[in-house]
Amino acid sequence: MTFIDDIKRSYLQGSMLLRIIFINIGIFILLNLVVIVAMLFNVNGHGWVSWTELPGDWSLLIRRPWTLVTYMFVHYNFLHILFNMLWLYWLGRIFMEFFSPKQLTGLYLLGGWGGAALFLLATCLLPYFTSQPVTFYLYGASASVVAIVVATAVYAPDYKIGLLFLGEVSIKWIALVTVLISLFSLDGGNAGGNIAHLGGAIVGAWFALRIKRGRDITRPLNAVIDACFGLFNGRSFKMPTFKRSTGSAKQGSAKQNGAQQPNSNNRPADSVSEEELDTILKKIKVAGYDALSDEEKDKLFKVSRRRSP
């Protein structure tokens, strides 16, 4: 059981980015096992796992509302999940240089829902889809990943990435090429998927532009998630409250839990005391950054952002 224990330890001690990747990989393995076992018993396993995909038919969607969440974690093809997870890992790490783990989670979900919304509008309104006697389904993390890519590019367009054979390239050009590929691939065999990519790109750009104006569109969603997890952890459920934040773009990206800070140089580090900070730094020195809990990483993120010039 050492291997399983190592995976559990890596998941619990890993960053939110790694946890999202672990969830995608775990669901990929589970769904493929279901299909394989069903095939051995002459059962159509694909019919079962299709209940995790987002249907383009509203009458089906009403009966399967959970697919609005599950679809963005579903992959069947190895190359599909490999590309998405590598893309998420590389660009997600850059995203985390500017934003918090909660903002990553919130944008992943909002980007997926933005892709789902555009996909549903297209399959219900565009003649290309409505004229065909089949139901279209959407699955995969692509819309969520594209949202993170575009958000990072809009927020820090001149951030350089080293590419093989090309050298250093600004992230804005990578995001632009990603969006153009989805746009020009609409006449291919995955029109619905590429439309979802564009929906994710719109949400990613919206997130970054609002952050630059001191608004965090992921905050209400994260407040609801925190309230729900608090209920599961035995705490009483409290209706989340949403406060509008004000300030510069840099201040807006670092604010947590609706706190409004008047000045980036004079504001306190919330509830993070010097003793807590020393404990976190000692833990990093002994066991490394990955040994920190999510709460400790959030505290370190707040202090580092608020102490930056």
Side-chain angles (χ1 to χ4, degrees), residues 250 264-265 267 304-309:
K250 183 177 181 180
S264 61
N265 294 323
R267 57 192 175 189
S304 64
R305 294 291 288 171
R306 291 172 182 175
R307 293 187 177 184
S308 61

Side-chain angles (χ1 to χ4, degrees), residues 105-259:
T105 304
L107 185 57
Y108 185 94
L109 293 172
L110 290 178
W113 288 332
L118 204 59
F119 168 77
L120 289 169
L121 287 175
T123 54
C124 293
L125 299 177
L126 296 181
Y128 172 82
F129 297 99
T130 57
S131 63
Q132 300 190 39
V134 295
T135 299
F136 291 87
Y137 289 85
L138 181 66
Y139 61 89
S142 300
S144 300
V145 174
V146 171
I148 292 171
V149 172
V150 172
T152 308
V154 173
Y155 186 79
D158 295 319
Y159 189 102
K160 303 292 185 181
I161 298 179
L163 296 180
L164 187 64
F165 304 126
L166 296 178
E168 290 192 341
V169 179
S170 295
I171 193 173
K172 62 186 176 184
W173 301 119
I174 296 176
L176 179 61
V177 170
T178 300
V179 172
L180 289 178
I181 289 176
S182 295
L183 182 62
F184 294 140
S185 299
L186 289 177
D187 62 345
N190 187 27
N194 285 298
I195 286 176
H197 299 171
L198 297 178
I202 293 172
V203 172
W206 180 33
F207 167 82
L209 292 174
R210 296 299 291 170
I211 281 288
K212 288 186 174 183
R213 292 179 175 270
R215 306 286 189 270
D216 182 2
I217 65 172
T218 67
R219 179 173 295 158
L221 173 60
N222 283 321
V224 173
I225 293 174
D226 287 343
C228 292
F229 273 99
L231 180 64
F232 287 121
N233 289 333
R235 299 193 297 271
S236 59
F237 182 83
K238 295 182 179 179
M239 287 298 295
T241 57
F242 312 126
K243 297 181 180 179
R244 298 185 65 182
S245 59
T246 58
S248 65
K250 183 177 181 180
Q251 292 172 340
S253 65
K255 293 173 187 173
Q256 299 292 327
N257 300 327

Side-chain angles (χ1 to χ4, degrees), residues 21 29-30 71 89 123 129 138 153 168 185 192 204 209 280 301:
I21 292 174
I29 294 173
L30 178 62
Y71 99 88
Y89 179 73
T123 54
F129 297 99
L138 181 66
E168 290 192 341
S185 299
L209 292 174
I280 292 173
F301 175 83

